[in-house]
Amino acid sequence: MFGLIGHLTSLEHAQAVAKELGYPEYADQGLDFWCSAPPQIVDEITVTSITGQKIQGRYVESCFLPEMLATRRIKAATRKILNAMAHAQKSGLKITALGGFSSIIFENFKLEQQFQQIRNIKLEFERFTTGNTHTAYIICRQVEQASQKLGIELSKATVAICGATGDIGSAVCRWLDKCTDVAEMLLIARDGERLLALQEELGRGKILSLEEALPQADIVVWVASMPKGVEIDASKLKQPCLLIDGGYPKNMATKLQHPGVYVLNGGIVEHSLDIEWKIMSIVNMDAPARQLFACFAESMLLEFEKLYTNFSWGRNQITVEKMELIGQMSVKHGFRPLLSFSS
Ligand code: NDP
């Protein structure tokens, strides 16, 4: 059985969902209450592959909220993730994806080194995967396929990657460098040293601020770990411009409706068959029976293939070969990148 550890995008979102799911005692509570709430299994899942194989899984709500990071409640944030992992392991889940901020917190606060034992449970890290290899693969396929749809030629295109030094961002850069003939890459993040290291690894790419990069880009890939999205002035963008927002919560605060600007939900896959679950309607997917985060799909793929291993682990180690491998499994079991633009 596979697992998914997820969280909601804001306190307001969490309160609304608690009411909807029948937890009225959570619905009127503030951030402090959510800091002390235990993880919950709130969904049972059945997925059928196009090969006919059927698997079962569970969704574990960690009760983490991005406001915990914004208000520096770091201890609460790390406790949420570790408790959710212990809960998943105790429930017998063999391979569990760490969705959204779960893996970012786990890696950035180096929890593997500090917390191997949660009460009477010794965490077995090989039971978890960040899901980032599949996410990076799907975002790259979205770049390739959506640009073609819009008539943007990659060989003439400038692609800006916001969050380029991150786990997903660096994998996207590697793929664009090795597997496409993209003309130019603009690398955006805050830490200058890590940007220089990435530029050296790639042997290419211009380091620019977001403000400098946006007007030059034909395609923008958003994969920054921002607890809250940034405002974008669409009139400063090229036309056409393809914006692929892979952040959770979204990196872009505004819903853009501007001629020539095309927004795609990044790192989202569509399954060929309906999935039996309710969790994706809670996170407002357009087609909740079929659409899901690529990181969640990674744990499903590992369960289908009985690969009980932390396929994606650590930071900035995702190779093009591993992206190709998870990509083959993705196609085999009936997943494809989302290609319909947001309206
Ligand atoms: P990482 O923490 O590994 O990387 C984050 C990157 O964003 C770093 O390059 C960081 O560099 C940069 N960054 C953070 N804040 C800013 C900022 N204000 N301005 C510019 N750059 C910034 O994160 P991941 O690669 O694991 O995840 C990236 C995003 O993808 C997250 O939003 C995550 O929730 C989402 N995600 C989506 C999935 C899906 O299935 N669709 C699956 C997993 C993750 P620096 O700190 O130097 O600025």
Side-chain angles (χ1 to χ4, degrees):
M1 187 174 272
F2 69 91
L4 314 172
I5 292 180
H7 63 82
L8 299 166
T9 55
S10 66
L11 177 61
E12 198 186 355
H13 185 201
Q15 289 167 332
V17 168
K19 197 175 276 175
E20 204 179 308
L21 285 184
Y23 293 89
E25 67 280 20
Y26 285 40
D28 302 321
Q29 301 285 349
L31 194 57
D32 284 338
F33 174 86
W34 286 84
C35 285
S36 57
Q40 308 265 355
I41 289 178
V42 295
D43 212 359
E44 303 282 339
I45 307 162
T46 304
V47 194
T48 308
S49 162
I50 51 171
T51 64
Q53 196 183 339
K54 229 180 230 276
I55 54 169
Q56 313 285 332
R58 287 178 169 167
Y59 175 82
V60 183
E61 170 56 51
S62 68
C63 294
F64 163 79
L65 294 173
E67 284 95 337
M68 291 175 194
L69 291 182
T71 57
R72 307 216 49 79
R73 287 166 161 95
I74 307 298
K75 260 196 180 161
T78 55
R79 216 175 40 234
K80 299 278 114 189
I81 306 311
L82 290 164
N83 284 343
M85 289 170 76
H87 196 55
Q89 187 173 316
K90 202 171 71 185
S91 310
L93 306 180
K94 284 188 170 169
I95 185 72
T96 295
L98 301 175
F101 265 88
S102 319
S103 72
I104 295 171
I105 292 168
F106 186 83
E107 298 289 354
N108 290 359
F109 296 107
K110 302 195 176 8
L111 302 189
E112 181 166 356
Q113 287 150 30
Q114 300 175 56
F115 300 97
Q116 282 146 12
Q117 187 84 26
I118 307 298
R119 292 175 298 280
N120 60 342
I121 296 173
K122 186 172 181 329
L123 284 179
E124 294 162 13
F125 296 115
E126 64 279 9
R127 287 175 179 254
F128 300 92
T129 186
T130 64
N132 286 349
T133 312
H134 191 227
T135 304
Y137 164 81
I138 290 296
I139 290 175
C140 291
R141 300 297 288 152
Q142 288 179 306
V143 169
E144 292 166 0
Q145 294 172 16
S147 61
Q148 203 177 16
K149 238 173 125 172
L150 296 175
I152 300 174
E153 274 181 63
L154 282 184
S155 60
K156 295 185 188 148
T158 296
V159 183
I161 303 101
C162 182
T165 54
D167 199 35
I168 299 172
S170 61
V172 169
C173 290
R174 274 176 218 122
W175 180 284
L176 292 179
D177 176 43
K178 294 210 170 85
C179 307
T180 73
D181 59 351
V182 66
E184 178 74 277
M185 283 195 262
L186 309 179
L187 313 177
I188 307 157
R190 294 163 305 176
D191 185 314
E193 265 180 43
R194 289 172 55 192
L195 280 165
L196 283 171
L198 176 70
Q199 192 184 44
E200 197 179 308
E201 178 199 325
L202 298 169
R204 63 185 288 194
K206 268 193 204 155
I207 297 172
L208 292 183
S209 69
L210 185 59
E211 294 68 34
E212 290 168 320
L214 286 183
Q216 299 183 30
D218 300 288
I219 301 171
V220 187
V221 175
W222 297 88
V223 278
S225 49
M226 298 176 183
K228 250 182 145 184
V230 291
E231 296 285 341
I232 307 292
D233 180 354
S235 66
K236 300 230 164 82
L237 301 173
K238 273 189 168 178
Q239 288 184 17
C241 184
L242 167 63
L243 302 168
I244 303 183
D245 192 348
Y248 182 81
K250 293 279 150 231
N251 284 181
M252 284 164 39
T254 19
K255 275 207 163 188
L256 297 185
Q257 279 189 321
H258 198 79
V261 175
Y262 300 87
V263 182
L264 198 54
N265 243 338
I268 304 293
V269 283
E270 270 178 338
H271 193 45
S272 308
L273 302 167
D274 281 0
I275 298 175
E276 292 170 40
W277 61 358
K278 53 182 182 295
I279 196 66
M280 286 300 127
S281 53
I282 286 164
V283 292
N284 305 322
M285 281 292 168
D286 290 339
R290 297 221 171 175
Q291 294 174 358
L292 62 147
F293 300 104
C295 63
F296 284 175
E298 181 169 306
S299 70
M300 296 172 183
L301 294 172
L302 297 177
E303 175 77 28
F304 276 129
E305 295 291 317
K306 303 210 177 343
L307 274 176
Y308 298 118
T309 167
N310 44 8
F311 190 85
S312 309
W313 207 239
R315 255 0 197 196
N316 296 32
Q317 290 166 18
I318 299 175
T319 59
V320 164
E321 291 71 29
K322 279 192 107 173
M323 288 166 77
E324 278 168 345
L325 181 62
I326 201 84
Q328 284 160 14
M329 297 181 212
S330 188
V331 172
K332 174 180 168 188
H333 292 288
F335 293 96
R336 57 179 173 265
L338 179 78
L339 284 178
S340 40
F341 300 111
S342 322
S343 46

